[in-house]
């Protein structure tokens, strides 16, 4: 058939591989099936090799070095690697699928590229490759068919070690000489209970243990002092990670969905240069292991069902450079945050038991703009936010949304400007007393679904660059708080405010950049919005106006 690869053509004197097209028998470059070859005098086989049968594997039996890559495909149906007993080095990648053991790889010391094994073993103990010393790329093992794997005790370095997806593997060990490793990933093992024996490993860029249902504890990492990222997620039986007890520095630290994790065991931790994330850890009752950390270089996230009821252990933290998020938690207080002074964004969201923010007494500054800022959203028991009294920079948005028991905003009185002001769905909120210093909003203002009788506290607000929306405020009587407002860059919507009786506080409005809509305000006399339109038209306003379904009273 045209285009089918024919037998390998190998020059015995040069060791160069080529392949022929059976229509022309013309040699061409590429990785091909092996039938017969002769290495050079030094036992070097040059090129890339793909093995489809035991005969082709046997053809490599005299190779001591392969300069390129070697791939042994599943269809080769080999029992072990016996024909490769003289092979010491592979310059490129080595990939093999399906074998009963590593027998035959007793001389292999170095792989220059990636080393990948899939479906090796027969259900018992698996050892090797016993002489392996270095792997230039990733050393990966998928679907180990063994209950125990004792890896190469001679291995000193690899870029990455990935062990993935075994349904019967229970124990991993044997890496006692490993000193250098960029990434360690152990994931998706249903029965793995023990991982140990890396006493000489001192530095690793990333460690990830994910979805290991039976893994309770780790050991053998006593030499590790610095870790790039340390992550544990969806390990149902994990109780602690004290194997990393000597770690002092970490870039990113992540623990998530480990329902039995009770003790983290990092007593010497001093520095988190990136992010700290704790998610759904119902038995974690203490954060005391964080007592020596003074700053978080990126995000601090406390999510979901945590066993802690306060934040003792975080007293040393003075700054969080990006987001500080407390969400879906059981926290009753923020005790432990008394020294926090700044964060890129403060997000307190859907905490059902949190009543107060008073423990944020030192918080002074949000440092980022955009969608960051202050988000206080869906906190069922929160009654006041007085702990933010020292805050002078919102750093972005102010979102006060859906807090059913919140009555006041007095903790925000130091803020003069924000990107957005969004006060919505707080049915017990009767006043905006903490917003009395606001002068400028760079985006939109939305006041909707609260219990406000006035907006008097916004009396210093002079400019809104986006739209202004006042909607569904059933107790709002007037807009006197807007008497200093001179410019609205977007639209103006005043809708569904049944007690609103007058708009004369807007007479100082000099410019409106978008459409004007005043509708369904049952008490508002029609002449009030009409007068506002007249005044705006006199100042050159040309936008679209919608006035309807307002009250029938008379203007004063």
């Amino acid at each position: 058939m045209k285009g089918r690869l024919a037998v390998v053509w190998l020059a015995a004197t040069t060791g160069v591989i080529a392949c022929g097209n059976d229509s022309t028998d013309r040699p061409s470059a590429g990785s091909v099936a092996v039938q017969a070859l002769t290495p050079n005098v030094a036992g070097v086989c040059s090129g890339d090799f793909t093995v489809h049968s035991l005969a082709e594997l046997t053809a490599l039996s005299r190779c001591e070095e392969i300069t390129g890559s070697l791939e042994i495909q599943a269809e080769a149906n080999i029992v072990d690697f016996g024909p490769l007993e003289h092979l010491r080095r592979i310059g490129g990648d080595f990939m093999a699928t399906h074998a009963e053991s590593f027998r035959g790889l007793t001389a292999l010391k170095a792989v220059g590229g990636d080393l990948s094994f899939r479906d090796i073993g027969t259900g018992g103990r698996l050892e090797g490759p016993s002489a392996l010393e270095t792997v230039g790329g990733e050393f990966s093992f998928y679907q180990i068919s063994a209950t125990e794997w004792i890896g190469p005790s001679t291995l000193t370095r690899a870029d990455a070690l990935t062990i993935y997806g075994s349904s019967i593997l229970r124990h991993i060990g044997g890496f006692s000489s490993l000193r250098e490793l960029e990434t360690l990933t152990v994931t998706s093992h249903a029965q793995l209970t023990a991982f140990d024996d890396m006493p000489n490993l001192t530095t690793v860029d990333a460690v990830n243990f994910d979805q290991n249902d039976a893994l309770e504890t780790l050991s053998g990492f006593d030499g590790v002092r610095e870790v790039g990222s340390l992550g544990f997620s969806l390990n149902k039986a994990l109780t602690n990670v004290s194997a990393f007890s000597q770690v002092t520095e970490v870039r990113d630290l992540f623990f998530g969905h480990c329902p039995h994790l009770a003790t983290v065991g990092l007593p010497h931790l001093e520095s988190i240069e990136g992010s700290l994330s704790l998610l759904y850890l119902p038995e974690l009752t203490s954060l005391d292991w964080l007592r020596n950390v003074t700053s978080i270089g990126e995000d601090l996230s406390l999510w979901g069902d945590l066993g802690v009821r306060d934040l003792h252990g975080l007293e040393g933290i003075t700054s969080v450079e990006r987001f500080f998020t407390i969400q879906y938690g059981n926290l009753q207080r923020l005790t432990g945050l008394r020294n926090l002074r700044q964060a890129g964004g403060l997000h307190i969201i859907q905490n059902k038991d949190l009543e107060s923010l008073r423990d944020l007494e030192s918080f002074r500054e949000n440092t980022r703009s955009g969608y960051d800022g202050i988000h206080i959203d869906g906190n069922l028991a929160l009654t006041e936010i007085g702990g933010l009294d020292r805050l002078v920079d919102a750093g972005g948005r102010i979102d006060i949304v859906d807090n059913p028991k919140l009555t006041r905003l007095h903790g925000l009185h130091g803020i003069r400007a924000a990107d957005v002001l969004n006060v919505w769905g707080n049915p017990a909120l009767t006043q905006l007393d903490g917003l009395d210093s606001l002068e400028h909003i760079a985006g939109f203002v939305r006041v909707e679904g609260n219990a406000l009788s006035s907006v008097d506290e916004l009396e210093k607000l002079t400019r809104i660059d986006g739209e202004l929306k006042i909607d569904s405020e059933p107790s709002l009587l007037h807009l006197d708080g807007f008497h200093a407002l001179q410019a609205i860059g977007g639209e103006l919507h005043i809708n569904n405010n049944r007690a609103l009786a007058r708009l004369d506080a807007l007479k100082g409005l000099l410019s409106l950049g978008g459409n004007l809509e005043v509708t369904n305000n049952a008490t508002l006399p029609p002449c009030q919005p009409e007068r506002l339109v007249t005044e705006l038209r006199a100042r050159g306003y040309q936008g679209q106006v919608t006035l309807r379904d307002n009250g029938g009273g008379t203007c004063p």
Side-chain angles (χ1 to χ4, degrees), residues 73-146:
Q73 297 191 345
E75 63 192 75
N77 197 28
I78 64 173
V79 175
D80 54 41
F81 301 89
L84 300 180
E85 61 182 347
H86 300 295
L87 185 62
R88 296 180 180 181
R89 184 180 186 279
I90 298 174
D93 300 334
F94 180 17
M95 294 170 284
T97 301
H98 188 68
E100 293 183 2
S101 74
F102 288 118
R103 192 184 74 84
L105 291 181
T106 52
L108 184 63
K109 292 186 175 182
V111 175
D114 294 337
L115 174 58
S116 177
F117 295 110
R118 182 182 295 271
D119 190 19
I120 309 293
T122 58
R125 180 184 173 97
L126 181 66
E127 297 184 11
S130 58
L132 188 65
E133 296 178 357
T134 62
V135 177
E138 180 181 12
F139 184 3
S140 58
F141 211 142
Y142 299 88
Q143 299 172 348
I144 299 176
S145 299

Side-chain angles (χ1 to χ4, degrees), residues 296-356:
I296 306 294
E298 293 183 3
D299 301 329
L300 172 55
S301 300
L302 307 176
W303 277 61
D305 184 11
L306 301 179
V308 295
R309 294 296 178 264
D310 58 45
L311 299 179
H312 279 300
L314 302 186
E315 287 86 353
I317 295 178
T318 60
S319 67
V320 177
E321 290 301 315
R322 298 204 318 181
F323 298 109
F324 184 5
T325 301
I326 302 174
Q327 186 163 359
Y328 302 123
N330 298 323
L331 289 174
Q332 297 172 342
R333 295 192 59 185
L334 301 183
T335 306
L337 297 181
R338 65 173 182 267
N339 295 316
L340 181 67
R341 296 187 177 185
Q342 69 177 45
L346 181 63
H347 300 177
I348 312 246
I349 300 172
Q350 298 186 29
N351 299 281
K352 62 185 180 65
D353 298 322
L354 186 64
E355 298 180 357
S356 171

Side-chain angles (χ1 to χ4, degrees), residues 396-474:
R397 300 170 60 106
I398 300 176
D399 286 292
I400 313 292
V401 176
D402 199 20
N403 303 284
K405 293 186 178 181
L406 185 64
T407 60
R408 302 180 63 189
L409 303 181
H410 63 285
L412 302 176
H413 62 78
I415 300 176
R416 295 185 177 183
D419 290 349
V420 166
L421 175 61
N422 185 24
V423 183
W424 173 78
N426 306 285
L429 185 65
T430 59
Q431 53 184 316
L432 303 177
D433 54 330
L435 303 178
D436 50 342
S437 297
L438 275 176
E439 299 174 358
H440 174 220
I441 301 296
F444 69 82
V445 173
R446 180 188 185 189
V447 179
E448 181 176 353
N450 307 291
L452 303 175
S453 59
S454 75
V455 290
D456 290 352
E457 294 80 11
L458 298 176
E459 61 183 357
K460 293 184 180 179
L461 188 62
T462 60
R463 191 169 92 246
I464 299 170
D465 293 349
E467 75 170 25
L468 170 60
K469 182 177 183 179
I470 310 292
D471 199 328
S472 301
E473 291 291 343

Side-chain angles (χ1 to χ4, degrees), residues 472-476 495-501 520-524:
S472 301
E473 291 291 343
S475 302
L476 186 64
N495 304 320
N496 307 305
N497 305 288
R498 66 189 182 200
L500 185 64
N520 199 31
N521 301 285
T523 306
L524 186 67

